């Protein structure tokens, strides 16, 4: 029931990623008429959303330490714009730290509390 606004939902995902990147000192934002997250005109995160009967399946790709050479063979999202990554911007962060920042970004934007994960051993007890 989160707002039932497709464009608003996509913008919220973008904002969660923008917030997460800010934790690493990366100033990211949007480019008019282009979905995704951008840094100085280069795409750092792509977003794909499918919604059917107000049930969403969605995904995003945040370029963390991506080998950007592969983008010379594709046209991501049909856009001939440059692509970047956190690593290309000089940010060396572990995958775990990036995941944690993304979770915090999503929690803020979608207004939910973060619960500590339950370890497998605890589930059996």
């Amino acid at each position: 029931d989160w707002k039932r606004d497709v464009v608003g939902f996509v913008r919220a995902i973008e904002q969660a990623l923008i917030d997460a990147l800010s934790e690493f000192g990366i100033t990211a934002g949007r480019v008019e008429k282009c979905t995704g997250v951008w840094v100085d005109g280069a795409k750092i995160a792509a977003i794909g959303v499918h919604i059917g009967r107000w049930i969403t399946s969605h995904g995003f790709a945040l370029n963390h330490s991506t080998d950007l050479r592969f983008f010379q063979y594709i046209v991501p999202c049909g856009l001939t714009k440059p692509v970047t990554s956190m690593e290309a911007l000089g940010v060396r962060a572990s995958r775990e730290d990036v995941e944690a920042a993304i979770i915090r970004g999503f929690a803020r934007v979608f207004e939910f509390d973060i619960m500590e994960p339950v370890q497998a051993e605890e589930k059996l007890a």
Side-chain angles (χ1 to χ4, degrees), residues 29-73:
R30 297 177 180 87
V31 170
E32 190 174 342
K33 298 184 181 182
C34 296
T35 299
V37 179
W38 304 78
V39 177
D40 297 327
K43 194 171 214 177
I44 194 167
I47 298 170
V49 174
H50 174 265
I51 300 175
R53 297 184 189 147
W54 294 109
I55 298 171
T56 63
S57 51
H58 59 276
F60 62 86
L62 173 62
N63 296 331
H64 170 233
S65 57
T66 308
D67 184 345
L68 300 175
R69 293 177 296 174
F70 294 111
F71 286 99
Q72 67 185 333
Y73 303 110

Side-chain angles (χ1 to χ4, degrees), residues 14-27:
E14 290 171 342
Q15 190 60 52
L17 295 170
I18 290 167
D19 291 352
L21 289 166
S22 73
E23 292 190 27
F24 300 96
I26 297 173
T27 302

Side-chain angles (χ1 to χ4, degrees), residues 57-103:
S57 51
H58 59 276
F60 62 86
L62 173 62
N63 296 331
H64 170 233
S65 57
T66 308
D67 184 345
L68 300 175
R69 293 177 296 174
F70 294 111
F71 286 99
Q72 67 185 333
Y73 303 110
I74 63 171
V75 181
C77 303
L79 301 173
T80 55
K81 293 186 180 278
V83 178
T84 193
S85 69
M86 293 176 70
E87 186 174 80
L89 295 170
V91 174
R92 305 282 186 260
S94 71
R95 179 184 174 106
E96 292 78 17
D97 288 344
V98 174
E99 288 174 355
I102 291 169
I103 289 168

Side-chain angles (χ1 to χ4, degrees), residues 97-111:
D97 288 344
V98 174
E99 288 174 355
I102 291 169
I103 289 168
R104 286 189 294 274
F106 272 78
R108 276 191 300 274
V109 170
F110 289 99
E111 302 170 340

